[in-house]
Amino acid sequence: MDPAERIKASFSKQGLMGTLGATLGRVDIELRPSPAISQQHGFVHAGAISAIADTAAGYAALSLMPADTGVLTTEFKINLVAPAAGERIIARGRVVKAGRTLTLAQAEVFAVSDGQEKLIALLTATMMSIKGRDGIND
Amino acid sequence: MDPAERIKASFSKQGLMGTLGATLGRVDIELRPSPAISQQHGFVHAGAISAIADTAAGYAALSLMPADTGVLTTEFKINLVAPAAGERIIARGRVVKAGRTLTLAQAEVFAVSDGQEKLIALLTATMMSIKGRDGIND
Amino acid sequence: MDPAERIKASFSKQGLMGTLGATLGRVDIELRPSPAISQQHGFVHAGAISAIADTAAGYAALSLMPADTGVLTTEFKINLVAPAAGERIIARGRVVKAGRTLTLAQAEVFAVSDGQEKLIALLTATMMSIKGRDGIND
Amino acid sequence: MDPAERIKASFSKQGLMGTLGATLGRVDIELRPSPAISQQHGFVHAGAISAIADTAAGYAALSLMPADTGVLTTEFKINLVAPAAGERIIARGRVVKAGRTLTLAQAEVFAVSDGQEKLIALLTATMMSIKGRDGIND
């Protein structure tokens, strides 16, 4: 399976992404603000922002791992620099440093309104590659 | 409104908590693992864990803020120390240091199986108090 | 070598601790504020606070690792909740969750003045155990 | 005073930078590995790496703040992706998002050997602007 297909297949197994209404782009994950994913002030909840940012960073890491390897998040930090509102929210992941056991990945999250992108969050995450555990290969 | 009522009212406005099926206890937030909140290996998604941990920490912070003040998360870090699986997931928040503008709060997240609690995640968050912005008082 | 002796021996090899004037207590690391470790406003530099907090957390982790194992910090986050000033600064480390490869440790840092302790910083760190690399066994 | 002069003047007041032997470049901070700043395995201590990364990020933030404003670090996270060894260590800061109260800044840290730069650490920090406090204007 090529990496893009592998990530697509894995993404479809993440129930939370479906529940949030998140969709997978070529290299990004997208979310439409709605009351179902809000916090108390009506913005998109930091937990939903974290969910797509963590997923984008995780798949960026997985795309550089061998085919029989799974990926687990061991920790992440997210800075929320502006309220999450707009027509769409987009998370874009990239690998900062790939290692044998640990990979450092980053995701930037943007809110899109009237075709303008605005940075709303920055995540850095440590991803662990998992090998030889039953059922974990993505 | 007393602090507990205030947090209950605010929690009910968080659409994401309803979408995830999260419920508010006296001082904790609870989640039942299900495919709707999973990641690709069937564990509860780190984003859902983060969502309840961030919310528990945020309400711990809000409970110490004046009545006309709102709370916003500016950043958090979460360490995920064990896979999130079990009968129930519980996040418990507490304030480490309350400040005029910034409050440091922490949340521990436990998985419960057969009556045994196991630590699965630890979050530290910086919460900002918001005053005098329209519609933000929780 | 018993764990306390092992940590004492390892600490004495950390040149930075000597340069900063940091000393090892039974379970803590202490620093005396001075111009030599200041930032521009005269407080103790966040880097010096981080250095003793990271070291306290690292030795807490090492104390639970096998004798032939070394410890490396893979990441930490520190929240600085009050300016670092006073007669003494004390960092106290503890293990939150020990794992085979990764250990989550925490350190609280206090400023002491007139016998009163005040929390000034909280660190959480992921420590990695290192085995079978030349010269790394502490 | 122009921003570069202001940062130069402020840097010279940071006693820790002198103690570590750190020097200020045009937009970076440099360190020479030596036993005086080591951890127990002979690498540069994570605390010293953090000190120059935090300082580089802080001055990147300060360079965008008004002249009568000071800068304080409220929190940072650092991922250490490779052992800190080489001829020189260089930290480069940049602002991700400048805000009225809080600024998100980042620093990359590189080890230089034989003219080759290698990423060894990535820091993200929340910097707070301080106004109207005696003696804090840098």
Side-chain angles (χ1 to χ4, degrees), chain A residues 20-107:
Chain A
L20 297 177
T23 53
L24 180 70
R26 267 207 327 155
V27 292
D28 51 29
I29 295 176
E30 203 174 306
L31 204 54
R32 299 223 163 235
S34 84
I37 56 173
S38 71
Q39 40 87 286
Q40 71 269 31
H41 312 133
F43 302 126
V44 178
H45 198 289
I49 299 298
S50 301
I52 61 167
D54 168 53
T55 302
Y59 284 137
L62 183 65
S63 70
L64 301 184
M65 291 178 183
D68 57 344
T69 308
V71 64
L72 274 180
T73 304
T74 66
E75 61 83 24
F76 68 78
K77 183 209 182 190
I78 188 162
N79 285 83
L80 303 149
V81 297
E87 296 151 19
R88 293 178 299 141
I89 308 291
I90 296 179
R92 291 196 184 94
R94 71 180 181 87
V95 169
V96 176
K97 173 85 193 310
R100 203 165 43 94
T101 307
L102 301 180
T103 289
L104 176 61
Q106 198 168 59

Side-chain angles (χ1 to χ4, degrees), chain D:
Chain D
M1 212 182 321
D2 82 314
E5 283 305 309
R6 186 185 180 204
I7 285 165
K8 204 172 143 187
S10 181
F11 185 86
S12 70
K13 289 160 60 184
Q14 291 203 2
L16 182 67
M17 291 296 109
T19 300
L20 297 177
T23 54
L24 180 69
R26 268 207 327 156
V27 293
D28 52 28
I29 295 177
E30 203 172 306
L31 203 55
R32 300 223 162 234
S34 84
I37 56 172
S38 71
Q39 38 87 286
Q40 71 269 31
H41 313 132
F43 302 126
V44 178
H45 198 289
I49 299 298
S50 300
I52 61 167
D54 168 53
T55 301
Y59 283 137
L62 183 66
S63 69
L64 301 184
M65 291 178 184
D68 58 343
T69 307
V71 64
L72 274 180
T73 304
T74 66
E75 61 83 24
F76 68 77
K77 183 209 182 189
I78 189 162
N79 285 84
L80 303 148
V81 297
E87 296 151 17
R88 292 178 300 143
I89 308 291
I90 297 178
R92 293 199 181 93
R94 70 180 183 89
V95 168
V96 175
K97 172 85 192 311
R100 204 163 43 89
T101 307
L102 301 180
T103 289
L104 177 61
Q106 199 167 60
E108 290 180 309
V109 187
F110 299 91
V112 187
S113 293
D114 298 324
Q116 299 289 319
E117 291 197 353
K118 181 187 174 182
L119 182 76
I120 60 165
L122 176 67
L123 170 143
T124 58
T126 305
M127 302 295 173
M128 196 171 196
S129 62
I130 304 290
K131 228 174 164 153
R133 280 206 217 160
D134 269 1
I136 297 196
N137 58 10
D138 60 352

